[in-house]
Each structure stands twice: as structure tokens, then as C-alpha cells.
Amino acid sequence: MNPDDLWQRTLARTTQALASEALRPIETSYEYVDDGGVRFLVRVVANLRRKDADRRAVDPFSLPQSKQVNPFGPHDPELFVADLSSTHVCLLNKYNVVRHHLLLVTRAFEDQRRLLSEADCDALWRGLADIDGLGFYNGGADAGASQPHKHLQLVPLPLAPKGPAVPIAPLLPSAAADEIVRADALPFEHACACAPWGDQPYRERGPATHDAYLRLLRRVGLLPRSGPLPDSPAGPYNLLCTRRWMLIVPRSREYVEGISLNALGYGGALLVRTAADLARLKALGPMTVLERAAVAPR
Ligand code: AMP
């Protein structure tokens, strides 16, 4: 595929999949909630039952692979967008809240808890090369992943109609390409890198991104500082990656008071199911919710 086609293919496939109802968007309203120097975008879902039925009948991570129902292996051809590489395909997210939400899925089954590979990072940049978006990874069920088959995700920017393209981004410090930094305003463990790929062309950034990913995981204590790499990091985490920066956030739990969080939440875009959840989120403050689902700074 010519990767420049990815956006055009996304638009065309979305039109077809909406018409055939292979794509089942989740309708939301939204509002902004200011907390901790961030204008959080909070979406409120009228009805999550359909997605929950797919997702929560059984915890898919707890089943042996032979018993798992895997929506990505095989994937629904009506949601197929593109062949990204010999190892990855691009699909539409069937139950999308954000328009044009893409999944970057390994062709062969790999466990979502395993470390990302250089091939995963290459696939991510095949997406980011054509779509100025937020790439993200929910590393494990406690980080918000619902599917055990390895999948990165990509949503176009901006995340919110008003304000910064990624609400949390203004808190991230600028730094040299080889530095790993923290944002003083984030009250939980994390590590950030600013364009560790330097000025390499988009499609050549996979190896430098993979290298930075491993360094960020080491910095937050999810990988040993030396010795051979394990198959998986020591715990759940979220990865966020744009054309400009990368952020790793170790996680302790998926839910805080019934509110589920994934990597998008750490970008500043939250999703709640009901008005009662929204009220609880406002009472706690979104930054406190993020803090409770993460781990204390080391
Ligand atoms: P996560 O919940 O972060 O693991 O992301 C997996 C995504 O896959 C969810 O957002 C679901 O909406 C989506 N999904 C579930 N079933 C399918 C399917 N059959 N085809 C494409 N996407 C799906």
C-alpha cells in the first residue's frame, strides 16, 4: 500500500461500514472539566450496553487462548482499512467513540501484555506518517485493554474541538531528543521523551521510537535497567505517542469509582457512561482520577 492512502482509505471504509452497519459508533455528548491546569474533554455515553456485552461477559484476558473469542483473528473484512506491513493490518474500531478511530493489529496473535516490538513501532509510524494523530497502547487489562490480541490504536488530532490538540500536552516540558523528562504538574509516575527520533522522516522513526519506548519503561521501573529483555513489562501501562512526543504512564487499576480509564484518559480525553459517573468525576476531579489509576511518583 502507498501509506499516503491511509486517510483516504479510512474515509472510504468508514462510509461503507456505516452503511452496512459493520461500524457501530457510540453516540456521546461532551463537556469540558478544568482540573490541574488541564481542560479535560469528558464524553458521556448514553448507552454502552452493546460494547459491554462484547467486552465484559467474560474477562478475555482470563481465558486460555483456545477459548478466547478474538475479534481481530480473523478480523471483520468490512472493517479492514489497509495492510500496513508484513506484520500489521489497520482496521476501523468497530465501537468507535472518536471518529476514524483506527486499530493497528498484528496479523498473527500476540499477547497484548508483551513488549512492543520494532515492527509494532514501524506500524505505528505508518499510521502517524499519514494521519497527524495520537497513537496509543493500553498495555494490559488494568491499563484499559479489552482485547488480548496485540493492537495499537490511532485517533486523529485534535482530540477536543477547542483548546490544545492533546489536552494534557501543554503540561509536558520540552527537552532534548535524548533526554527523558517528567512533567512537574502530573501527580503520578510517568516518563516523557520529546521527539527522540530527531528529524528522521516519519516512516523511518520505528527503531528510534522502539529504543525510546524501552528507555521510558526502564525509567518508570517496568523494565530492568540491565540484562536481557523480558517478554513483558513488569506491570500495566499506557503509552501515548504523537509526531512530537511520547509518554509512558504505569497503571495500577482500570477503574476508579466505576470510571474506566485508558491511554486516552491520560491524554486528557475521558469517557463516562452515565450522568452519575460524570458527577462523580467532577467531584473527584479528573486529575485525581488519573492519579488513583496510576502509581505514586517514585
Ligand atoms: P481496547 O479496549 O483498548 O483493548 O481496544 C480494543 C477495541 O476494539 C475496543 O475499543 C473495541 O471497540 C474494538 N472492537 C471490539 N470488537 C471489534 C471488532 N470485531 N472489530 C474491530 N474492533 C473491535
Side-chain angles (χ1 to χ4, degrees):
M1 170 189 88
N2 174 358
D4 296 333
D5 291 344
L6 189 62
W7 182 239
Q8 291 310 321
R9 284 171 177 254
T10 300
L11 297 179
R13 182 54 88 186
T14 298
T15 304
Q16 290 164 349
L18 282 173
S20 70
E21 298 190 2
L23 192 59
R24 303 294 189 98
I26 295 172
E27 300 301 326
T28 57
S29 59
Y30 71 87
E31 57 181 89
Y32 295 101
V33 181
D34 291 312
D35 191 27
V38 177
R39 172 151 292 190
F40 287 90
L41 176 79
V42 183
R43 293 192 174 85
V44 187
V45 182
N47 185 345
L48 260 182
R49 277 197 301 254
R50 187 172 48 214
K51 185 175 177 185
D52 279 358
D54 277 26
R55 172 176 183 164
R56 295 290 174 208
V58 188
D59 171 8
F61 281 87
S62 69
L63 294 171
Q65 204 189 322
S66 58
K67 294 249 163 60
Q68 289 169 6
V69 179
N70 181 358
F72 308 146
H75 61 259
D76 180 345
E78 294 197 64
L79 298 172
F80 174 82
V81 177
D83 287 312
L84 290 174
S85 64
S86 61
T87 50
H88 288 72
V89 294
C90 179
L91 310 176
L92 296 179
N93 183 328
K94 185 174 181 71
Y95 305 108
N96 63 309
V97 171
V98 177
R99 277 166 70 84
H100 308 122
H101 182 159
L102 299 175
L103 304 175
L104 318 176
V105 177
T106 57
R107 289 175 193 274
F109 181 86
E110 261 188 69
D111 194 298
Q112 182 77 0
R113 290 165 293 196
R114 284 178 74 99
L115 279 173
L116 291 179
S117 63
E118 211 171 282
D120 293 319
C121 295
D122 280 336
L124 177 61
W125 278 104
R126 296 206 177 209
L128 284 171
D130 202 38
I131 296 172
D132 186 8
L134 173 68
F136 63 95
Y137 191 69
N138 299 324
D142 286 333
S146 65
Q147 299 300 332
H149 183 137
K150 202 187 227 184
H151 55 287
L152 287 128
Q153 308 189 44
L154 178 61
V155 291
L157 293 178
L159 289 187
K162 278 191 275 183
V166 181
I168 210 118
L171 297 186
L172 304 178
S174 51
D178 58 352
E179 269 186 296
I180 294 179
V181 288
R182 286 181 45 86
D184 292 338
L186 293 180
F188 45 80
E189 182 62 359
H190 66 279
C192 180
C194 298
W197 38 76
D199 53 9
Q200 284 177 305
Y202 292 136
R203 284 179 202 107
E204 294 168 24
R205 291 180 178 183
T209 302
H210 187 246
D211 183 61
Y213 160 76
L214 297 177
R215 288 191 292 126
L216 292 172
L217 286 175
R218 284 194 188 99
R219 180 60 66 91
V220 298
L222 290 178
L223 280 182
R225 295 238 164 214
S226 58
L229 278 180
D231 286 343
S232 306
Y237 67 97
N238 292 124
L239 167 69
L240 292 81
C241 182
T242 69
R243 288 177 175 179
R244 291 160 279 279
W245 49 263
M246 289 172 77
L247 176 68
I248 289 264
V249 181
R251 295 288 302 275
S252 54
R253 58 188 62 82
E254 177 184 357
Y255 286 99
V256 174
E257 305 224 2
I259 299 162
S260 168
L261 286 157
N262 69 10
L264 284 175
Y266 286 86
L270 293 148
L271 177 70
V272 296
R273 291 153 203 262
T274 63
D277 286 343
L278 177 62
R280 229 173 311 115
L281 177 71
K282 286 180 175 170
L284 285 166
M287 194 61 97
T288 301
V289 172
L290 298 191
E291 184 181 354
R292 287 207 200 159
V295 304
R298 297 186 327 144

